Amino acid sequence: MIAGVDEAGRGALVGNVIAAAVILPASYELPDLTDSKKLSARQREALYAAITAQAVAWSAAAATPAEIDTLNIHHATLLAMQRALAALNPPPSQALIDGKFTPTLAIPARAIVGGDASEACIAAASIIAKVTRDREMLALEARYPGYGFATHKGYGTQAHLAALARLGATPEHRRSYAPVRAVVAQGTLF
């Protein structure tokens, strides 16, 4: 009952940071399973369906832009990880976390740098987190047209920064991030 945990959206300027937790069974059929960053959107979607169908348990949880602005991205990410692990049913007996840090948990946890490339359960969590966040960005694109969220997924690309300057900050933008803070200081709000 080992859960893999990973996040998506840590460096984005807008939206939630998403953490996912996955407990894989002893045997599974996920032949292309790897770090989500090494997969195309189509491959991630296919693996998302396969992971959610085969996992013993899986969950995705968020920390909001307001929580990110209040806590900072590091602590908000750890909070999202705690929430994802708490939502697993059955609960895990251990957690493997991608990265350098582990959230405070009641179970043993180990941080593994590059874990999404070396541990199947973390790779599965990376896919669940990335697909969940990408879907949220598609929803934000529909809600706030003109920003290009469907394309850049909320990261600080030139197109996003130009849209931010032109259209202002949405309520979903992270106010503590420098490019957004500068736009808000000028009074430019969606």
Side-chain angles (χ1 to χ4, degrees), residues 35-101:
D35 172 11
S36 65
K37 294 182 287 299
K38 297 178 181 175
L39 300 167
S40 69
R42 176 179 281 177
Q43 289 172 312
R44 285 191 300 267
E45 285 287 346
L47 278 164
Y48 180 97
I51 292 163
T52 57
Q54 296 179 49
V56 172
W58 68 274
S59 68
T64 66
E67 289 172 321
I68 293 166
D69 290 339
T70 301
L71 299 173
N72 76 36
I73 188 60
H74 172 71
H75 289 103
T77 300
L78 295 177
L79 176 62
M81 289 177 173
Q82 287 173 327
R83 290 172 174 163
L85 283 162
L88 290 176
N89 187 15
S93 58
Q94 181 182 356
L96 300 179
I97 315 290
D98 184 57
K100 294 180 181 179
F101 304 97

Side-chain angles (χ1 to χ4, degrees), residues 14-16 65 135-150 167 170-173 190:
V14 67
N16 297 327
R135 290 175 179 176
E136 285 191 2
M137 289 297 99
L138 291 175
L140 281 184
E141 174 75 14
R143 223 167 122 196
Y144 302 105
Y147 286 89
F149 295 139
L167 301 171
T170 71
E172 303 300 324
H173 276 92
F190 179 84

